[in-house]
Amino acid sequence: SPADRARFILFGVGAHLAVPYACIHHAFAIHAANLPDSIAVEHFEERLTFRQLDKQSDVLAAYLRNRGICPGKRVCLLTQRSLGMVVAMLAILKSGGSYVPLDGGITPKETVRFVVEDSQSSTVLYTSSFEHLVPEAIDRMCIDQAFSD
């Protein structure tokens, strides 16, 4: 309505503030350096400190860069909420790529195929429970195996 539109314009625009970091993973790096032993993320009973999250995401980011992930590349992330999902999101950003998130618990195989094609994702990162949803003709990597060594 016109009244709602006027309220949105009045209250929906705040002061313009300079953003101190160009990328979210740069802000993360500052927090990881300042609070390395603080809890960065938790899911049920599992936890990662900033130091652990930084290290795990660095390892995965290096692996992704070696596989050709760089600025302009998209990576489909097929998982559910987990610590691995957060590690993968941060790693994709650190590698320079963009992530295309899909919830493997509710996304049908045909939708996964469509999103991978439509987004022009070059790689699919997935958890082992969703391997059956990953299209055959694409570069793929199981997140579970990334840290099993």
Side-chain angles (χ1 to χ4, degrees):
S1 73
D4 286 340
R5 188 174 302 203
R7 268 189 231 107
F8 179 78
I9 291 170
L10 180 64
F11 297 109
V13 179
H16 292 282
L17 300 174
V19 179
Y21 308 103
C23 301
I24 194 165
H25 58 282
H26 296 163
F28 171 83
I30 298 298
H31 286 286
N34 291 333
L35 304 165
D37 297 317
S38 295
I39 301 299
V41 62
E42 60 184 315
H43 184 68
F44 296 112
E45 300 301 315
E46 296 179 292
R47 292 176 179 81
L48 287 177
T49 64
F50 279 96
R51 182 188 326 270
Q52 292 168 320
L53 179 55
D54 194 36
K55 182 179 178 183
Q56 289 183 18
S57 62
D58 280 348
V59 169
L60 184 55
Y63 190 79
L64 290 170
R65 282 191 297 275
N66 286 337
R67 289 178 81 141
I69 302 303
C70 59
K73 297 283 186 169
R74 293 181 192 94
V75 177
C76 185
L77 181 57
L78 182 62
T79 186
Q80 286 186 307
R81 288 183 185 197
S82 64
L83 297 183
M85 179 191 81
V86 177
V87 170
M89 290 168 60
L90 188 55
I92 293 166
L93 294 174
K94 285 180 173 186
S95 71
S98 302
Y99 62 88
V100 180
L102 288 174
D103 185 336
I106 61 172
T107 309
K109 187 172 187 167
E110 187 58 29
T111 302
V112 172
R113 185 198 58 74
F114 174 80
V115 170
V116 167
E117 289 176 10
D118 191 58
S119 68
Q120 298 177 352
S121 292
S122 56
T123 301
V124 175
L125 287 184
Y126 62 94
T127 49
S128 57
S129 55
F130 303 121
E131 182 172 16
H132 66 283
L133 297 173
V134 180
E136 292 297 321
I138 189 160
D139 184 45
R140 56 179 49 212
M141 180 183 168
C142 181
I143 299 169
D144 303 339
Q145 296 169 356
F147 301 105
S148 62
D149 297 336

